[in-house]
Amino acid sequence: MNTFVLNITSPEGRVFSDDVQSVAVRGIEGDLAILAGHIPFVTTLQPCECKITLADGSEKLGTTDGGILTVSAEQTTLLSGSFQWK
């Protein structure tokens, strides 16, 4: 499966930066999943669980108190006020 770079950043610094297959979060208008090749866009996030599928197919779960998700051709960035791994 194709991968893309996901960066997660909080006020404490970079929380995560690696190639992933997907990231699933809750945007202001509902749940969404980002895969490689997704069209560029920006959305605000609601407090939610973040499900990240790593390049090797394993999954990581975390929670965010909300924030901003930016998707570009080069990378996807999640800016969060607080991010915790489960």
Side-chain angles (χ1 to χ4, degrees):
M1 180 171 261
N2 293 334
T3 63
F4 61 96
V5 175
L6 172 65
N7 294 306
I8 301 174
T9 305
S10 74
E12 290 80 34
R14 183 165 289 174
V15 176
F16 180 85
S17 182
D18 206 350
D19 289 335
V20 301
Q21 291 182 17
S22 68
V23 59
V25 292
R26 178 163 291 162
I28 197 72
E29 294 185 15
D31 293 340
L32 58 109
I34 306 300
L35 301 172
H38 197 288
I39 62 167
F41 79 103
V42 176
T43 188
T44 54
L45 297 178
Q46 296 183 33
C48 65
E49 180 175 275
C50 301
K51 180 179 171 185
I52 300 164
T53 304
L54 303 174
D56 66 3
S58 63
E59 293 181 352
K60 287 188 84 153
L61 295 176
T63 57
T64 178
D65 66 349
I68 299 173
L69 184 73
T70 305
V71 179
S72 71
E74 296 80 35
Q75 65 186 2
T76 296
T77 302
L78 190 161
L79 300 174
S80 176
S82 174
F83 189 93
Q84 301 294 320
W85 292 112
K86 286 189 157 189

